[in-house]
Amino acid sequence: MSSSVNMEDIISLAKRRGFIYPGSDVYGGLRGTWDYGPLGVALKRNIMNLWWQHFVDGRDDMYGVDAAILMNQKVWQASGHVDTFVDPLCEDTVNHRRFRTDHILKDNGVDAEGMTMEQMDAAIAEHGIKSPDGNPLSASRTFNMMFTTHVGPTSDDASISYLRPETAQGIFTNFKNVVDSFYPDLPFGIAQQGKAFRNEISPRDFIFRSREFEQMEIEYFVHPEKWEEAFEELLASTHEFLVRLGLKPEHIHELDVPEADRAHYSKKTIDIEYDFPIGKEELMGIAYRTDFDLGNIQRVSSKSMEYTVKGTNEKFVPHVIEPSFGVERALMAVLSNAYREDEVNGEKRIYLALPEHLAPVRYAVSPLLKNKPELVEKAREVYRALKQKYGNVSWDDNGNIGKRYRRQDEIGTPHVVVIDFETIEGGGTVTVRERDTTEQRRVSIAELLG
Ligand code: GAP
């Protein structure tokens, strides 16, 4: 099932109103990259801060880190990414355009979930599938999605590094540091937010599949025999977070990912899927990574990753539950969930019914007429007071009041405060116009600032 919202409408609003622009647009773009404008940054920050509040500050078993993006190449050798972080790639045999084989199958109505590369090639042959340009396709090969770079002035094998494809490894490599500095009791988690990079063969669907994106990840360290209860607890907490994003439970689905489709490190994965405008797709995932990562670090670095239970001699390498969120996908879910069209006074209206705690602008303050100094002065006073209280308050005196309402509706501002003659003629009240209902209430300034 997909939501009734059209993706093109969201992309157009995002660009028009300063949320998200195509990356390097002025030079013709760079596929799979996106730039955040002033409102996009604000919305993204609100989502990320809410996540941090929910999973880190709101609990007493979480520690935050912010690790370097560039890491020693051994990290990615030990983690298995150098060998196995691959997607199946096929090529148009005439014009040499390249495609992700499972995407080509999906676009032709064949579900490739669980298929090996050979099975995908067989399905392409069986269904007579051609490239989008109508040419035969080559047999598939694997393509590693990590961006390679060199650290330092020499470009040899020893200087190879990668732009991290997940933030998780920066957590695992700091496991021992956090244990040694904070002596946490098990179970405990380490959380990180930050950029991740993947050289996706076919970035698509707006910010859903980008080459540069942001993740919010937790590695939750547990006793090997207690992973199931931690998994259930973090799954439940994830659902609570999605409700705090304003997403509707009926649009959220759990998929118990079959073994053939799980990442190389996972013994169990539940994907949370969401009814995006592009269809039901992965929003985030929770994986049981066993002791795969700490075990690999211990083997390759020859440093012990064992945890000793306090007051005992019991020692083991902890197992890990990993809730992994993509910020862009959370943002796309929030935007498509909020997008609304209705009719006001016979005119089509577009608005974003964003939850108040996520809206980039919480209040806009407007003098009814901008050429009346007494209105402007009073409005500035109210604006400054509201801004001091909430921070994300904006001044809007552009165009007539109807235009201001439309603009604020489109960016999801829940309340517009209008200062009119009644405000200064001793009433001390302002009009507060509500985004979702378009209702206007007269409220005293004291109550507004309460
Ligand atoms: N550390 C585990 C990990 O990275 P993943 O399923 O590959 O797992 C986690 O990625 C999340 O990151 C996904 O559920 C998705 O939200 C986001 N994500 C992954 N690739 C992405 C891409 N190319 N563009 C945007 N978000 C992406």
Side-chain angles (χ1 to χ4, degrees):
M1 197 189 125
S2 64
S3 77
S4 55
V5 178
N6 184 342
M7 201 61 231
E8 292 310 315
D9 290 335
I10 294 182
I11 297 172
S12 153
L13 182 145
K15 184 166 182 192
R16 184 170 74 248
R17 289 296 181 202
F19 283 86
I20 301 168
Y21 309 113
S24 312
D25 206 14
V26 72
Y27 288 113
L30 180 66
R31 270 194 81 202
T33 65
W34 298 91
D35 295 343
Y36 285 81
L39 298 177
V41 174
L43 180 56
K44 185 158 100 152
R45 286 239 169 104
N46 288 345
I47 291 172
M48 293 175 80
N49 289 344
L50 184 69
W51 185 92
W52 197 266
Q53 200 276 326
H54 184 84
F55 285 106
V56 184
D57 290 345
R59 304 175 57 124
D60 49 21
D61 56 353
M62 292 284 179
Y63 298 79
V65 294
D66 187 5
I69 289 175
L70 293 173
M71 304 177 85
N72 190 309
Q73 56 175 264
K74 286 183 189 156
V75 169
W76 307 107
Q77 288 158 2
S79 69
H81 283 81
V82 171
D83 292 330
T84 56
F85 195 60
V86 291
D87 269 341
L89 175 144
C90 62
E91 197 170 305
D92 179 311
T93 52
V94 176
N95 61 23
H96 303 293
R97 279 179 68 199
R98 291 170 172 188
F99 306 96
R100 223 175 105 169
T101 315
D102 54 329
H103 285 175
I104 286 274
L105 283 166
K106 191 176 172 195
D107 292 346
N108 284 275
V110 182
D111 183 0
E113 291 229 337
M115 282 189 191
T116 62
M117 209 163 67
E118 291 69 30
Q119 287 167 333
M120 288 185 212
D121 283 348
I124 287 199
E126 184 191 330
H127 295 275
I129 294 172
K130 298 268 191 299
S131 82
D133 299 320
N135 301 318
L137 289 162
S138 71
S140 300
R141 64 179 173 85
T142 55
F143 173 79
N144 194 300
M145 286 192 286
M146 284 199 294
F147 283 100
T148 307
T149 187
H150 289 270
V151 174
T154 46
S155 294
D156 53 18
D157 284 354
S159 68
I160 288 179
S161 185
Y162 305 93
L163 297 187
R164 68 182 178 199
E166 59 168 15
T167 61
Q169 295 305 322
I171 296 179
F172 290 122
T173 48
N174 280 295
F175 165 75
K176 206 63 190 161
N177 289 335
V178 172
V179 168
D180 291 347
S181 310
F182 296 91
Y183 310 107
D185 286 324
L186 275 194
F188 74 93
I190 305 183
Q192 173 164 228
Q193 299 182 331
K195 290 271 189 181
F197 304 82
R198 295 184 188 179
N199 198 3
E200 295 281 355
I201 297 168
S202 40
R204 57 191 202 171
D205 298 324
F206 190 35
I207 52 174
F208 183 84
R209 191 173 303 285
S210 330
R211 289 186 168 135
E212 176 177 341
F213 56 98
E214 215 142 352
Q215 289 188 319
M216 309 184 280
E217 297 201 296
I218 293 167
E219 306 306 325
Y220 197 73
F221 301 96
V222 297
H223 188 288
E225 279 156 24
K226 296 196 175 151
W227 70 269
E228 275 162 310
E229 59 197 77
F231 196 105
E232 289 308 316
E233 190 271 313
L234 287 165
L235 181 59
S237 186
T238 293
H239 281 288
E240 284 164 21
F241 173 68
L242 297 178
V243 168
R244 292 181 77 181
L245 287 183
L247 305 182
K248 296 184 189 71
E250 63 267 30
H251 290 155
I252 295 165
H253 314 276
E254 283 184 14
L255 172 74
D256 196 342
V257 181
E259 190 179 349
D261 292 331
R262 289 201 293 262
H264 59 279
Y265 48 72
S266 173
K267 271 264 169 64
K268 178 181 173 76
T269 298
I270 298 276
D271 275 352
I272 298 289
E273 298 186 318
Y274 183 75
D275 293 323
F276 288 101
I278 53 170
K280 187 167 80 167
E281 295 287 351
E282 177 187 331
L283 169 61
M284 61 80 62
I286 305 186
Y288 169 41
R289 287 181 85 129
T290 67
D291 58 354
F292 178 84
D293 301 273
L294 291 183
N296 282 337
I297 294 177
Q298 180 165 275
R299 187 173 44 79
V300 176
S301 70
S302 305
K303 301 213 170 78
S304 169
M305 292 294 128
E306 281 182 329
Y307 177 90
T308 307
V309 179
K310 283 180 199 160
T312 74
N313 289 327
E314 194 187 3
K315 268 186 184 194
F316 50 83
V317 175
H319 282 216
V320 168
I321 309 297
E322 176 195 65
S324 175
F325 291 79
V327 177
E328 279 68 13
R329 292 193 190 175
L331 196 143
M332 193 163 137
V334 165
L335 271 183
S336 53
N337 178 52
Y339 187 91
R340 306 268 196 289
E341 288 181 7
D342 65 1
E343 224 183 77
V344 174
N345 302 330
E347 267 182 43
K348 178 179 152 186
R349 173 177 84 125
I350 296 172
Y351 68 105
L352 290 181
L354 291 169
E356 184 151 337
H357 57 280
L358 296 182
V361 177
R362 198 168 184 139
Y363 283 88
V365 180
S366 236
L368 182 64
L369 301 169
K370 70 175 183 187
N371 57 357
K372 296 284 173 201
E374 63 275 35
L375 292 186
V376 173
E377 195 186 323
K378 189 69 190 168
R380 281 276 173 208
E381 204 181 285
V382 174
Y383 165 73
R384 276 194 296 272
L386 273 177
K387 197 159 181 67
Q388 198 168 22
K389 184 163 180 196
Y390 295 110
N392 57 342
V393 173
S394 82
W395 175 261
D396 192 352
D397 61 5
N398 238 330
N400 65 36
I401 197 74
K403 285 220 174 84
R404 294 178 210 166
Y405 287 155
R406 293 292 174 277
R407 188 169 46 245
Q408 296 299 335
D409 286 345
E410 278 206 346
I411 66 169
T413 307
H415 321 282
V416 180
V417 177
V418 181
I419 280 67
D420 53 23
F421 290 104
E422 217 180 306
T423 314
I424 50 175
E425 279 162 8
T429 59
V430 294
T431 301
V432 179
R433 189 267 194 183
E434 305 296 348
R435 174 196 65 201
D436 296 352
T437 59
T438 72
E439 270 170 22
Q440 303 185 13
R441 304 177 286 132
R442 276 222 83 86
V443 177
S444 73
I445 293 177
E447 190 188 326
L448 183 71
L449 299 176

